[in-house]
Amino acid sequence: MRLMFVGFLCAVSAISTKVLAAEAEIVTYKEMCDASAAVALDKDHFVVGDDEMNTLRIYKRGQSSSIKQVDLSKFLDTKPDKESDLEGAARIGDTIYWISSHGTNKDGKVQDRRRRFFATTVDTTSSPPGLKPIGAAYSKLVENLSSDPRFAKYKLAEAAKKPPKTNGAFNIEGLADGGNNKLLIGFRNPLPENKALVVTLENPTDLIEGKGEAKFGNPIELDLKGRGVRSIEKVGGSYLIVAGPYDGKKDFVLFRWSGKESGEGIEKLETPAMNALFPEAMFEIPGTGEVQVLSDDGSLTVGAGECKDAPRSEQAFRSVILKP
């Protein structure tokens, strides 16, 4: 299935809104619906995580079926049919860090398997590139954040017991290279004073290597007009953020953020080609200045039910490439 959306050029307005000039083709990839985290492996290949399963799939751009799969069930200490709700990914060098939602299931039940921070390494000697997990998964981010006095006002321990799509719940969806071997963690929920919460993880390598507990920078609050972070990606000297509501509503916007801890330097980008999607994953395509945005299409209708409940052979997600 391919649809064509054509954007047009518009000057930056007084409210710092920019329309991206792009002719963007929506391309469909098979074998999963809920594309929720993704990273480029090279210019032509990318890996995608699904929040409904623990198997990573590697795709070649423009080829609908995956070319490699990496089953993480054993590594994450889960059963093959019990997902860890993977939601974010970020690459630093040849290490790809992955993070799960750390929230409850839809009924508000706390499940340890949803509290995972881990890493894979890229095998650049194989063609196409491969992946393998390294170190050990870390599962104490909620406790570490809750015990840090700088985050007391967010009541994260209480939030982590609420269903993730309720007001004030705990739900991580974004992960990005924060520079200097640090990571930025982006929250879909909670929204303190209607702002999105971003947290710097200062020692990701230590956690993977089993050296101590998580250390954080100061909390960052971003004015994304009442939306939380659904995906965040470092592009050049700034960050692109896919922002959306904490619940299941469709209201997605792309922002550019300076990266300043003060939260200053936010610009809204109008993206006509993205309007048809449910964007939840994004990554920069190396050497192109372009970003690829992936849609979580689990709720779309396939046959008599939702895509995520369809047979694997009938599942698919959509993707678009933009040049911000």
Side-chain angles (χ1 to χ4, degrees):
M1 174 176 109
R2 293 191 176 189
L3 303 174
M4 191 72 74
F5 286 77
V6 180
F8 57 94
L9 183 63
C10 178
V12 179
S13 73
I15 59 172
S16 191
T17 299
K18 184 178 180 181
V19 177
L20 300 187
E23 184 179 274
E25 182 183 18
I26 294 182
V27 179
T28 298
Y29 294 89
K30 298 179 179 179
E31 300 173 14
M32 68 167 71
C33 301
D34 299 77
S36 56
V39 169
L41 298 179
D42 59 22
K43 185 178 178 180
D44 299 312
H45 300 89
F46 59 97
V47 57
V48 186
D50 183 325
D51 61 21
E52 292 291 327
M53 60 181 173
N54 290 333
T55 297
L56 305 177
R57 279 178 159 75
I58 296 174
Y59 293 88
K60 183 175 182 180
R61 187 165 295 100
Q63 184 173 314
S64 61
S65 297
S66 67
I67 56 176
K68 287 185 179 181
Q69 303 83 37
V70 182
D71 186 353
L72 298 170
S73 299
K74 184 176 181 180
F75 176 74
L76 297 177
D77 192 25
T78 65
K79 295 179 180 179
D81 62 340
K82 298 296 183 180
E83 79 281 358
S84 289
D85 199 14
L86 305 182
E87 292 288 2
R91 180 172 178 173
I92 300 179
D94 286 336
T95 300
I96 300 176
Y97 294 96
W98 301 84
I99 197 165
S100 64
S101 69
H102 284 69
T104 71
N105 67 7
K106 63 181 180 180
D107 299 319
K109 183 179 179 180
V110 175
Q111 296 175 323
D112 178 69
R113 69 174 187 269
R114 294 174 182 268
R115 296 183 175 186
R116 293 289 185 269
F117 172 76
F118 64 97
T120 57
T121 186
V122 181
D123 180 5
T124 57
T125 63
S126 66
S127 183
L131 286 177
K132 63 179 181 180
I134 56 175
Y138 187 77
S139 60
K140 296 183 178 180
L141 285 178
V142 173
E143 291 86 347
N144 298 155
L145 283 165
S146 301
S147 63
D148 190 322
R150 293 172 298 173
F151 298 90
K153 69 176 183 177
Y154 304 120
K155 300 180 180 179
L156 296 180
E158 179 182 334
K161 298 176 183 178
K162 297 180 179 180
K165 294 182 181 180
T166 58
N167 187 24
F170 190 111
N171 194 358
I172 293 171
E173 287 213 357
L175 195 68
D177 179 358
N180 299 316
N181 203 33
K182 300 177 182 180
L183 293 171
L184 295 183
I185 300 173
F187 285 72
R188 172 177 175 172
N189 210 1
L191 295 173
E193 298 181 358
N194 231 23
K195 294 183 178 180
L197 178 63
V198 174
V199 176
T200 302
L201 177 61
E202 297 188 332
N203 61 334
T205 302
D206 289 345
L207 303 188
I208 300 307
E209 295 178 350
K211 298 177 181 177
E213 298 191 336
K215 299 177 182 178
F216 307 104
N218 294 321
I220 302 169
E221 297 180 5
L222 302 180
D223 185 4
L224 304 181
K225 306 306 177 185
R227 303 174 183 87
V229 175
R230 306 300 285 270
S231 184
I232 180 169
E233 175 76 359
K234 188 176 183 180
V235 180
S238 60
Y239 291 86
L240 292 180
I241 299 175
V242 173
Y246 67 81
D247 52 20
K249 297 178 181 178
K250 188 178 187 300
D251 180 24
F252 299 97
V253 175
L254 186 65
F255 290 90
R256 181 182 283 115
W257 168 49
S258 64
K260 294 180 180 179
E261 187 176 297
S262 64
E264 298 175 325
I266 295 177
E267 176 187 24
K268 180 182 178 182
L269 305 177
E270 294 290 352
T271 53
M274 201 175 77
N275 291 342
L277 307 183
F278 297 89
E280 286 206 8
M282 171 178 58
F283 59 88
E284 183 178 19
I285 303 173
T288 67
E290 298 175 323
V291 294
Q292 186 165 345
V293 180
L294 280 55
S295 183
D296 184 336
D297 289 335
S299 61
L300 295 185
T301 300
V302 173
E306 292 186 331
C307 180
K308 62 185 177 183
D309 297 322
R312 183 70 55 200
S313 61
E314 298 178 18
Q315 294 189 13
F317 66 89
R318 296 166 296 159
S319 174
V320 67
I321 294 174
L322 303 174
K323 190 161 187 175

